Amino acid sequence: MTVNTGTSLGTIPAAGHGVNVAVYDGNMNSSPVAGLLRDAGFTAVRYPGGSYGDIYHWKTHTTEGGYVAPGTDFDTYVSTVRSAGAQPVVIANYGTGTAQEAADWVRYANVTKGYGVRFWEIGNEVYGNGHYGSGWEQDDHADKSPRAYANNVLQYISAMKTVDSSIKVGVVLTTPGGWPDGVVGSGDSADWNNTVMSIVQDKADFVIIHWYPGATSAADSLTKVSQIAPMVSTIRSLLTRYAGSRASSIGIAVTEANLNYQLNSATTALGAADSYLTWFENGVMNVDWWSLHNGTSSSPKTNDDGTPDYNDFGILSSGSSGEPPVNTPLPPYFGLAMVGRAGSPGDTLVKASSSSSLLAAHAVKTSGGVNVVLVNKDLNNSTTVSLSYSGFSPGGTASVVQWRKGATSISTSGASSATSISTSGASSATSISTSGASSATSITLPPYSITVLKASGGGTASPSPSPSPSPSRTPSPSPSASPSRTPSPSPSPTSGGSGCSATYTVTNSWPGGFQADVTVTNTRATAISGWTVGWSFRNGQTIGSSWNATVTQSGASVAAKNVSYNGGLAAGTSTSFGFTGNGTGDVPAPISCTTG
């Protein structure tokens, strides 16, 4: 695998690493919870719990027809979140509430109590209100159309920001590829997302989707991460269409996420770590796992990977019949805790690639070096990985943080040699063994494991950052299959004589469309202050949406120019931009790059 520290994929968002809690969970504020959240590195906690968000009244701490557990009120929740070092994410009641009720909540939270709650959603899965036939979300409005929701959202935003203009308010969208995405309801002229955004336009600070891909097997579940980039691209295209000059600054939040297959398996732990980092690499500002505790009504079964499954959406046991004692961490907790070990908010995500479909690779540039995250998806075999670095020279000491199937804790090796950490597949499930000094670029990973290799060292270049956007469970029908990741060969880079080179790669394709990334490298011995990349499509393709560059098209000719934050490149460093296109995803040649 390779790590290119000169190609930035943005930064770990300040409130990115999240989890859901619910007011019906009597254990959500129990004494161990804050420490468990803090130890896993969670930076966001969403409240008051999925569909309960549309029936919960904060003033009276009551719901219409739901159960509210003692000790789950708003103030106690905020105390737990603060103790965990995280930020609140709050659902304002749309289904049975009012804009005034939401504004009063903002006033209480941020004016009266000074809690500084920044992130507020307007409702939960409001599209599940029966307008499209299926109804699980409470919505007492006479008009349940997307048009009515959007117009009411504007009232919520106005009322809430009149109280505190610094808050960030989010609007609910349907998940691309999932029901009812693309469905035009009775009396509507467009689907939910197009209708809502055509009215809300640039007034929201972020948009919200939920992700429950489901699967047919453990192996299938671990491929669902391939859905993420196309979904984000689709949403970015929607924002570009309707939000004008604010489009690039509107965030995307995935406020409920769960692989929704064999919930307590090691498979889900691996998928949780891989998906969170992939969401961050695609510029998402927040991802919240469903959920902290959930409980189960099923007897334990055995997962595909051999681990026990309690059919519990929680990352901590609720202590239900057949489960471990309450607050026992379940495998997904450890997968998400490994995300917390990968880096801290503000650290730079850099490009990492693997030659194996069973090895997911991510990398984070920190002030002390590079953390490489390796997810071995092979259930039965260990694998030895050779790592190469661009723009970074590992040296000194390294440590290894690791979790593997069956482990009941996360293991950390001491400051061993930076050059070789080896763990055999037959070692204990709750510890790792380290070997003596060897190469800095080789590690043997146990089967079904998540490893963070923390290498100290330095490099001659720092990446040019791409900005990240500022910042129940009744499962919806599973989304239809996303386009599979279909890389195409990249053309040879352009000559360095122009001062820069560009490499074009098709990263995803689907019927009638594709996604491409272009990496721009400064080939001079001195810094450059701007660049322009050009090419001509050969088969009538057209640009859809783009990010990290200003892209224009005239006929077949395309020109992409840097934006304000990524034009300056030190000698030898790179940046990248991307776009979605209509047509077939072949690679144009030649591709030019000029400076200035």
Side-chain angles (χ1 to χ4, degrees):
M1 64 155 290
T2 59
V3 176
N4 184 349
T5 62
T7 301
S8 168
L9 302 176
T11 59
I12 296 177
H17 189 199
V19 66
N20 277 271
V21 295
V23 292
Y24 54 75
D25 172 18
N27 296 307
M28 65 173 277
N29 294 306
S30 58
S31 57
V33 165
L36 287 163
L37 293 171
R38 184 173 56 252
D39 290 347
F42 284 109
T43 54
V45 182
R46 181 178 183 246
Y47 175 92
S51 295
Y52 263 58
D54 279 316
I55 60 173
Y56 178 70
H57 300 282
W58 71 274
K59 288 182 181 179
T60 57
H61 191 47
T62 59
T63 65
E64 281 95 351
Y67 169 72
V68 176
T72 62
D73 59 276
F74 178 64
D75 292 301
T76 308
Y77 150 77
V78 172
S79 177
T80 297
V81 173
R82 283 184 156 187
S83 296
Q87 296 190 50
V89 177
V90 176
I91 311 166
N93 184 343
Y94 175 80
T96 63
T98 64
Q100 186 60 55
E101 181 181 22
D104 289 344
W105 200 352
V106 173
R107 179 177 292 105
Y108 176 80
N110 292 354
V111 178
T112 304
K113 303 295 289 190
Y115 290 151
V117 179
R118 291 190 66 205
F119 303 108
W120 299 81
E121 301 177 59
I122 310 303
N124 184 56
E125 294 169 351
V126 184
Y127 48 80
N129 60 8
H131 181 69
Y132 297 101
S134 181
W136 64 87
E137 200 78 11
Q138 185 73 27
D139 183 358
D140 288 353
H141 296 87
D143 186 348
K144 296 177 172 55
S145 69
R147 179 181 60 258
Y149 172 71
N151 284 315
N152 287 326
V153 159
L154 294 177
Q155 295 180 30
Y156 272 72
I157 292 173
S158 176
M160 295 165 75
K161 289 204 170 189
T162 296
V163 174
D164 183 353
S165 61
S166 71
I167 64 172
K168 304 297 182 183
V169 183
V171 59
V172 173
L173 298 182
T174 62
T175 303
W179 188 91
D181 182 47
V183 176
V184 178
S186 176
D188 298 336
S189 59
D191 65 1
W192 180 278
N193 287 356
N194 281 279
T195 302
V196 168
M197 289 310 303
S198 69
I199 296 169
V200 174
Q201 297 182 351
D202 62 351
K203 302 302 187 297
D205 300 293
F206 61 98
V207 296
I208 301 151
I209 64 169
H210 291 172
W211 188 56
Y212 291 90
T216 57
S217 67
D220 182 43
S221 183
L222 291 175
T223 69
K224 298 304 182 182
V225 69
S226 67
Q227 296 180 354
I228 291 172
M231 285 195 292
V232 173
S233 295
T234 298
I235 296 167
R236 281 281 160 221
S237 179
L238 184 78
L239 294 174
T240 298
R241 187 177 309 137
Y242 294 114
S245 61
R246 280 205 69 214
S248 62
S249 65
I250 294 176
I252 299 172
V254 187
T255 58
E256 289 185 26
N258 193 298
L259 294 182
N260 202 22
Y261 179 78
Q262 297 187 345
L263 308 176
N264 312 124
S265 62
T267 301
T268 296
L270 269 60
D274 191 19
S275 62
Y276 264 55
L277 291 168
T278 303
W279 284 115
F280 297 163
E281 289 162 354
N282 281 272
V284 165
M285 59 175 271
N286 165 254
V287 188
D288 302 314
W289 193 259
W290 187 270
S291 61
L292 183 69
H293 303 97
N294 196 84
T296 179
S297 58
S298 302
S299 300
K301 299 180 177 63
T302 301
N303 292 311
D304 292 355
D305 58 33
T307 57
D309 187 26
Y310 307 106
N311 194 36
D312 189 331
F313 276 97
I315 60 173
L316 303 178
S317 173
S318 293
S320 301
S321 177
E323 288 194 306
V326 66
N327 288 323
T328 299
L330 301 173
Y333 171 86
F334 294 111
L336 293 169
M338 292 299 287
V339 175
R341 304 300 198 276
S344 301
D347 286 343
T348 302
L349 298 147
V350 295
K351 190 170 184 178
S353 57
S354 165
S355 62
S356 170
S357 62
L358 292 178
L359 177 67
H362 307 273
V364 179
K365 183 81 159 55
T366 71
S367 59
V370 173
N371 297 342
V372 182
V373 184
L374 301 165
V375 182
N376 182 9
K377 301 180 183 181
D378 192 321
L379 178 60
N380 300 308
N381 299 293
S382 59
T383 184
T384 298
V385 181
S386 296
L387 299 94
S388 63
Y389 300 84
S390 173
F392 174 77
S393 298
T397 59
S399 63
V400 169
V401 182
Q402 191 173 83
W403 181 86
R404 56 176 300 184
K405 186 187 83 162
T408 57
S409 63
I410 292 171
S411 299
T412 304
S413 73
S416 59
S417 166
T419 58
S420 177
I421 308 294
S422 178
T423 306
S424 68
S427 63
S428 165
T430 57
S431 64
I432 63 173
S433 59
T434 61
S435 66
S438 61
S439 168
T441 56
S442 178
I443 181 168
T444 299
L445 309 173
Y448 247 42
S449 62
I450 310 167
T451 300
V452 180
L453 172 63
K454 298 188 174 185
S456 61
T460 57
S462 298
S464 298
S466 303
S468 296
S470 60
S472 148
R473 185 55 202 151
T474 305
S476 312
S478 297
S480 55
S482 272
S484 58
R485 190 171 180 85
T486 313
S488 295
S490 298
S492 299
T494 54
S495 167
S498 61
C500 61
S501 64
T503 303
Y504 181 120
T505 305
V506 176
T507 56
N508 290 284
S509 60
W510 53 90
F514 65 96
Q515 177 183 338
D517 289 338
V518 180
T519 299
V520 180
T521 302
N522 177 10
T523 57
R524 289 182 176 173
T526 58
I528 62 174
S529 59
W531 45 264
T532 301
V533 175
W535 67 87
S536 292
F537 284 128
R538 296 175 292 193
N539 295 301
Q541 297 96 329
T542 57
I543 297 291
S545 62
S546 62
W547 50 94
N548 296 337
T550 301
V551 181
T552 57
Q553 182 172 359
S554 177
S557 298
V558 178
K561 185 171 178 57
N562 65 276
V563 287
S564 59
Y565 51 79
N566 64 359
L569 296 177
T573 63
S574 302
T575 189
S576 62
F577 66 90
F579 64 90
T580 57
N582 305 305
T584 57
D586 57 344
V587 177
I591 179 169
S592 65
C593 185
T594 56
T595 60

